[in-house]
Amino acid sequence: MIVDLVQRSGPVSRATIARSTNMAKPTVSAIVEELAAEGVLRELGVGEASHSGGRRPVLYEFNQASHHVLGVHIGVETTTAVLADARGHEVARAAVVTSREAPADVLASVCAAVGRMTEERGLAKNDVTAIGVCAPALIDPVEGLLVFAPNLEWRNVNIVEGLRQVNDEATIYVHNVAQAVLAAEYMEGIGQKWPNAVLLYEDNGVGAAIMIDGSIFHGVQGFAGEIGHCKLPGGQEPCNCGAKGCLETRVSVTAMLRRTGHEPNQDGTLHQQLRALVQSGDPRVKRALREVGKDLGLAASWLVNLVNPDAVVIGGGFLDAGDALLDGLIASIRDQGLPESVGGLTVQRSVLGSAAPVRGATLLALQASRRSLQRVLGSLRVPSLPLPE
Ligand SMILES: [Zn+2]
């Protein structure tokens, strides 16, 4: 509570902390002294005396250099690692290729890149106290296990073990990418005016995230939101999950390219290819992407009827599909959703855009030290996730 308060309100005295937290002054003093000794809080000299006179209080501020955190977004094409200070400000980033690499090699490359980033800044391994990871996969957040990522073809990858080399004492949290993106949007993107929101997210595969009353809904095993593998009527196209006719086979970037009449590039540049097609302004491309939006809207209308959210947000590769997809999506939700639920609904793009996944991962790492984030990301409800001592 004290760290959270000092982070939010800047330099404060022990008396102010005691007042704001309803804790006894001696308790506050003891905790503040401990935090100052650990370097989490920094003494900032003395403030103004109160009106009634008396001693001028010592002020404390949060020390953003006290520790660092790492956010890692494992994408289908590229994995991005961001090193951030204790306030969450980015200090360095690195990217490694994911596609067609073995999971152990990708994670080893991330460890090596982080080693270089910390070394360049004169940081020790144990300065990185928490690591947040997100991936387009079914994730077991309790074990930190990537259970299945159809589009990476990864199964049962122990992410925690793979990243131990960064700092074997760091707290490591792993989440599904759509869940991490929606949390990032709520904290820093679309904002907190919509505490009940659903996100539709594309990164070769397709997933959703559901936020209820400002908390990400994980489901019993952490697998909530796998809308990409819900079946559309009449679909026969084989899906990377092993089934046929999944939504993903109609609206993934590969499907979008095929539906515009183009063969997908083989070199992992599918989203660039899609952006170039959209920029060309070709009316056939627009028509096809509007139809993609309508299929996505059918799925979204089920979510809207089930969850009754404030907002439907699209992110990831759906942002590369331009206005046509969004128009089709909105039209389809209006057509097929319950009018009473659709009435007050906002449908919009992710604000953080391509920055959202790694930001979500970084926030996941930061939640180790921030109470407000713990509430949003909801990992506290996963009992065996270790919190730092
Ligand atoms: Zn599937």
Side-chain angles (χ1 to χ4, degrees):
M1 282 168 75
I2 291 175
V3 173
D4 210 38
L5 176 77
V6 179
Q7 279 195 35
R8 274 189 289 108
S9 39
V12 284
S13 68
R14 281 174 286 192
T16 308
I17 294 172
R19 252 197 323 275
S20 310
T21 57
N22 279 328
M23 280 194 270
K25 277 186 190 171
T27 312
V28 169
S29 286
I31 297 173
V32 164
E33 265 163 40
E34 206 173 305
L35 289 169
E38 283 172 15
V40 177
L41 298 185
R42 195 160 46 195
E43 237 184 77
L44 202 69
V46 288
E48 297 292 314
S50 66
H51 295 299
S52 53
R55 270 196 312 161
R56 289 158 65 191
V58 177
L59 298 181
Y60 291 87
E61 69 168 0
F62 182 67
N63 176 13
Q64 74 254 32
S66 60
H67 64 272
H68 285 71
V69 300
L70 183 72
V72 179
H73 166 226
I74 301 173
V76 172
E77 290 159 16
T78 311
T79 292
T80 310
V82 161
L83 184 68
D85 67 20
R87 266 188 209 282
H89 295 159
E90 179 174 334
V91 295
R93 74 163 55 202
V96 307
V97 175
T98 315
S99 33
R100 288 182 285 272
E101 299 286 333
D105 293 341
V106 172
L107 297 175
S109 301
V110 169
C111 292
V114 175
R116 285 191 294 275
M117 286 195 284
T118 48
E119 210 180 297
E120 278 166 19
R121 276 151 197 84
L123 299 172
K125 273 191 171 188
N126 60 9
D127 285 327
V128 180
T129 57
I131 303 173
V133 185
C134 68
L138 296 177
I139 302 287
D140 174 346
V142 176
E143 300 294 336
L145 183 73
L146 182 153
V147 176
F148 181 37
N151 293 287
L152 285 164
E153 296 176 36
W154 289 15
R155 267 187 200 276
N156 298 320
V157 179
N158 192 323
I159 303 286
V160 173
E161 284 308 310
L163 293 177
R164 274 280 164 242
Q165 233 189 308
V166 171
N167 169 15
D168 58 13
E169 285 168 11
T171 307
I172 303 180
Y173 289 161
V174 191
H175 265 47
N176 169 273
V177 63
Q179 294 173 355
V181 166
L182 184 53
E185 284 294 333
Y186 180 70
M187 295 307 295
E188 300 179 344
I190 59 173
Q192 299 178 14
K193 56 184 179 283
W194 297 316
N196 295 283
V198 295
L199 170 83
L200 298 164
Y201 184 81
E202 195 278 341
D203 176 14
N204 292 266
V206 172
I210 301 162
M211 173 172 275
I212 297 171
D213 293 337
S215 274
I216 295 290
F217 177 71
H218 299 282
V220 174
Q221 293 158 282
F223 302 164
E226 286 298 328
I227 200 164
H229 303 290
C230 295
K231 313 293 179 280
L232 283 183
Q236 283 305 315
E237 189 78 17
C239 179
N240 285 339
C241 74
K244 276 184 185 170
C246 295
L247 172 69
E248 190 168 299
T249 66
R250 304 282 298 159
V251 304
S252 69
V253 67
T254 307
M256 287 195 261
L257 289 167
R258 292 221 168 101
R259 290 176 72 171
T260 61
H262 295 82
E263 206 37 47
N265 287 346
Q266 292 302 309
D267 57 357
T269 56
L270 301 179
H271 292 97
Q272 276 152 268
Q273 191 185 358
L274 180 62
R275 281 197 296 276
L277 283 173
V278 169
Q279 276 158 14
S280 75
D282 182 341
R284 281 168 309 173
V285 170
K286 271 192 190 163
R287 271 197 302 278
L289 291 176
R290 192 179 156 84
E291 290 305 310
V292 171
K294 283 185 176 176
D295 284 346
L296 190 61
L298 171 64
S301 71
W302 284 52
L303 269 178
V304 167
N305 286 4
L306 285 171
V307 178
N308 184 210
D310 308 296
V312 171
V313 183
I314 58 167
F318 291 136
L319 302 174
D320 296 324
D323 294 337
L325 180 136
L326 191 60
D327 292 347
L329 172 75
I330 292 172
S332 183
I333 293 175
R334 284 222 181 94
D335 275 358
Q336 300 176 85
L338 192 66
E340 287 76 4
S341 297
V342 174
L345 182 75
T346 302
V347 182
Q348 78 149 66
R349 293 183 177 86
S350 139
V351 169
L352 299 176
S354 58
V358 79
R359 188 59 190 158
T362 308
L363 291 173
L364 199 52
L366 272 177
Q367 78 162 334
S369 56
R370 284 198 201 173
R371 211 164 42 106
S372 52
L373 282 173
Q374 284 165 5
R375 194 180 63 75
V376 175
L377 288 157
S379 278
L380 280 188
R381 281 179 292 151
V382 181
S384 58
L385 265 184
L387 281 170
E389 308 269 290

